[in-house]
């Protein structure tokens, strides 16, 4: 918070991310009389600097928030009218009643418990309903899934203003206890954007997609364009934000700081063990030769030194940001003409285009992906540079394209062994294997789709 007397000299001053000299690192200041005329030598506060300054205030204020309740206390008072009046009603009205409605099965593969809270007020009040997402178990602790609650606690306000995330009314998370409790906006009137991709994806099998999308007509091309522009705006907001690497809950932040090598090597060993186990599942699924070749090549490249080198290249090249980590159409809700993202359980540090690769392999038919992907990545790049022009000096379109390809392989090389060993039905596993097979044959083979895998183009899996 900046007091009135300090408004001329911001207390939390942003640091330019891409300046090559200290001459370019001057912080915004109150203009003097001599500065009233524009100067070509010392520009006024730019859009990018103002953006960073506002976000620095958000980050500085976030640690001042206090935990008000524990997980058990929140579970006990979720329908308490006095507590809800404070959280939801505020000055707009008093809550006089609330009921929970079970939404079992609506949480996808996350394993979280979802409920809808229907609320009544004595006046106009706040939201008529909201959604509770809660989880506390060993898996939540092992995989750090409480980071979603901590992410919302620090950043929900700014993301809501940009239309990037649902409104969050209350958020509690503990990485140590493996628990999260999030009371958020009900997006039931929005349409899950994955429905527009048709029955091709197993996530849409057996659903009446025409009925589900009737309220908000759209096309695959339009949803794809909105999705990649959404990703660009999200990535631009956190591009080279050094404070995010200091957040212990951010996925991979400790490894990006060069810490906890033992944890990295333990995760590496778990993935290798999972991959070895997955290859044994060959009775009900068929592993394409290109897929096994890519995963074996990725496995051979794992190692702390190689990982650290990749981080150094991204850091030195100013080419990293906060990524969603599970970016696919089913985690994006279409509300009118805008998208809102959900499920931030895997939010972490990485290269922005990694999110795009996961998205394309997840839902698009291979022939359509090949037709649309280059223009989609170009739209992403143009939106990214428009939001933060300095990014264009660090990332070219061709580099963005390469990171898109590497990111898709990196993400799915990690995911496929997990999907093959977690009890997913064989047809669904086969679908993702075939999707990945088509992607790598398009992008990392020697001499065309029928050629051998070029192992030099295969990155390590994104553990």
């Amino acid at each position: 918070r900046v007091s009135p007397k300090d408004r001329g000299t911001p207390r939390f001053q942003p640091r330019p991310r891409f300046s090559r000299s200290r001459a370019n690192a001057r912080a915004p200041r109150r203009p003097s009389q001599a500065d009233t005329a524009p100067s070509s030598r010392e520009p006024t506060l730019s859009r990018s600097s103002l953006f960073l300054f506002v976000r620095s205030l958000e980050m500085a204020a976030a640690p001042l928030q206090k935990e008000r309740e524990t997980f058990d206390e929140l579970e006990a008072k979720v329908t308490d009218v006095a507590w809800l009046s404070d959280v939801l009603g505020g000055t707009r009205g008093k809550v006089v009643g609330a009921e929970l409605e079970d939404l079992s099965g609506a949480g996808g593969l996350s394993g979280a418990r979802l409920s809808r809270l229907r609320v009544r007020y004595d006046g106009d009040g706040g939201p008529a309903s909201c959604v509770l997402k809660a989880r506390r178990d060993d898996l939540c602790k092992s995989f750090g899934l409480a980071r979603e609650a901590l992410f919302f606690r620090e950043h929900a306000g700014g993301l809501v203003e940009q239309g990037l995330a649902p409104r969050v009314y209350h958020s509690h998370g503990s990485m140590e206890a493996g628990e999260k409790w999030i009371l958020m906006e009900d997006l039931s009137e929005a349409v899950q954007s994955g429905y527009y991709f048709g029955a091709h994806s197993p996530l849409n099998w057996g659903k009446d997609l025409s009925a589900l999308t009737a309220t908000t007509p759209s096309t695959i091309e339009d949803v794809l364009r909105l999705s990649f522009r959404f990703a660009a705006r999200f990535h631009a907001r956190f591009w080279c934000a050094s404070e995010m690497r200091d957040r212990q809950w951010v996925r991979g932040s400790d490894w990006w700081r060069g810490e906890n090598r033992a944890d990295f090597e333990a995760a590496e060993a778990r993935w290798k063990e999972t991959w070895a186990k997955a290859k044994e599942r060959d009775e009900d699924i068929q592993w394409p030769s290109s897929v096994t070749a890519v995963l074996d090549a990725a496995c051979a490249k794992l190692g702390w030194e190689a990982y650290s080198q990749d981080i150094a290249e991204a850091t030195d090249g100013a080419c990293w940001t906060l990524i969603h980590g599970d970016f696919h159409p089913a985690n994006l809700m279409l509300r009118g003409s805008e998208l809102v993202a959900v499920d931030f359980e895997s939010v972490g540090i990485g290269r922005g285009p990694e999110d795009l690769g996961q998205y394309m392999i997840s839902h698009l038919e291979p022939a359509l992906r090949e037709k649309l992907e280059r223009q989609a990545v170009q739209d992403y790049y143009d939106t990214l540079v428009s939001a933060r022009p300095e990014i264009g000096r660090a990332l070219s379109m061709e580099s963005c394209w390469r990171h898109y390809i590497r990111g898709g392989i990196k993400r799915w090389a990690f995911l496929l062994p997990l999907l093959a060993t977690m009890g997913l039905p064989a047809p669904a596993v086969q679908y993702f294997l075939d999707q990945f097979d088509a992607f790598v044959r398009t992008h990392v083979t020697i001499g065309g789709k029928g050629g051998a895998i070029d192992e030099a183009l295969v990155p390590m899996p994104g553990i």
Side-chain angles (χ1 to χ4, degrees), residues 221-376:
E221 291 80 1
D222 287 342
V223 171
L224 176 61
R225 182 170 56 254
L226 286 172
S227 299
F228 276 35
R229 291 178 179 178
F230 173 98
R233 291 161 57 210
F234 181 83
H235 295 155
R237 180 177 179 84
F238 297 101
W239 198 270
C240 287
S242 58
E243 66 271 13
M244 298 311 300
R245 289 189 300 181
D246 296 332
R247 294 292 189 265
Q248 297 292 336
W249 50 265
V250 173
R251 188 173 185 263
S253 62
D254 51 349
W255 301 342
W256 277 70
R257 295 192 305 269
E259 301 172 2
N260 293 337
R261 175 173 179 167
D263 289 346
F264 173 88
E265 292 175 342
E268 175 185 38
R270 285 195 299 271
W271 183 85
K272 288 181 177 179
E273 181 180 352
T274 303
W275 170 222
K277 182 178 179 181
K279 284 192 285 188
E280 297 175 357
R281 183 179 177 180
D282 57 5
E283 294 181 357
D284 54 352
I285 60 174
Q286 294 181 348
W287 289 88
S289 59
S290 65
V291 173
T292 55
V294 166
L295 266 64
D296 283 339
C299 184
K301 293 184 178 183
L302 274 170
W304 176 256
E305 288 76 14
Y307 185 86
S308 299
Q309 181 179 352
D310 185 59
I311 290 174
E313 291 174 358
T315 303
D316 293 344
C319 186
W320 61 274
T321 185
L322 197 70
I323 60 175
H324 182 277
D326 196 16
F327 193 71
H328 59 80
N331 278 339
L332 293 166
M333 307 294 291
L334 184 62
R335 182 166 55 185
S337 60
E338 298 294 333
L339 289 171
V340 179
V342 296
D343 195 358
F344 287 85
E345 291 180 338
S346 298
V347 65
I349 304 293
R351 289 181 169 91
E354 293 179 21
D355 276 341
L356 314 184
Q358 178 181 0
Y359 183 104
M360 280 295 202
I361 296 171
S362 175
H363 274 62
L364 271 79
E365 292 182 306
L368 186 60
R369 170 188 52 78
E370 289 187 45
K371 177 183 176 182
L372 301 177
E373 61 186 343
R374 182 77 189 196
Q375 184 57 52

Side-chain angles (χ1 to χ4, degrees), residues 17-187:
R17 302 295 176 193
F18 304 99
S19 60
R20 296 186 178 275
S21 68
R22 288 194 171 271
N24 293 326
R26 284 189 288 268
R29 60 183 178 85
R30 181 193 294 274
S32 65
Q33 290 183 348
D35 295 327
T36 55
S39 168
S40 60
R41 296 176 57 250
E42 188 172 67
T44 56
L45 184 62
S46 68
R47 179 175 60 179
S48 298
S49 296
L50 179 61
F51 172 86
L52 290 171
F53 171 62
V54 171
R55 190 158 52 76
S56 69
L57 293 180
E58 292 178 355
M59 297 302 298
L64 300 179
Q65 301 179 54
K66 296 180 180 179
E67 286 286 1
R68 292 183 294 174
E69 296 92 2
T70 66
F71 184 92
D72 290 328
E73 289 170 341
L74 289 167
E75 288 284 87
K77 65 172 56 174
V78 64
T79 56
D80 180 86
V81 295
W83 183 81
L84 287 174
S85 293
D86 179 52
V87 172
L88 299 177
T91 60
R92 295 174 295 179
K94 180 181 177 181
V95 175
V96 295
E99 295 83 29
L100 275 178
E101 173 188 336
D102 183 31
L103 296 178
S104 296
L109 299 177
S110 72
R113 171 171 54 84
L114 294 182
S115 308
R116 177 173 289 115
L117 183 68
R118 299 196 180 277
V119 188
R120 302 187 305 279
Y121 302 85
D122 63 355
D124 292 337
S129 65
C130 48
V131 169
L132 170 62
K133 183 177 185 179
R135 181 168 186 172
R136 178 168 62 178
D137 55 41
D138 290 339
L139 282 178
C140 187
K141 181 176 181 178
S142 299
F143 288 96
L145 304 183
R147 68 173 59 89
E148 180 177 28
L150 300 172
F151 172 74
F152 278 140
R153 184 168 178 171
E154 288 195 6
H155 297 286
L159 293 172
V160 168
E161 290 176 4
Q162 287 189 273
L164 299 176
R167 184 174 300 279
V168 174
Y169 305 107
H170 197 86
S171 181
H172 161 82
S174 170
M175 298 287 279
E176 295 76 14
E179 61 187 32
K180 65 178 178 180
W181 199 96
I182 307 168
L183 192 63
M184 68 180 79
E185 179 181 3
D186 186 356
L187 296 175

Side-chain angles (χ1 to χ4, degrees), residues 186-224:
D186 186 356
L187 296 175
S188 58
E189 294 185 0
V191 180
Q192 191 227 93
S193 72
Y195 294 157
Y196 296 95
F197 290 81
H200 175 66
S201 167
L203 297 178
N204 293 338
W205 292 348
K207 296 179 179 178
D208 186 349
L209 300 179
S210 296
L212 290 170
T213 59
T215 59
T216 312
S218 191
T219 65
I220 292 175
E221 291 80 1
D222 287 342
V223 171
L224 176 61

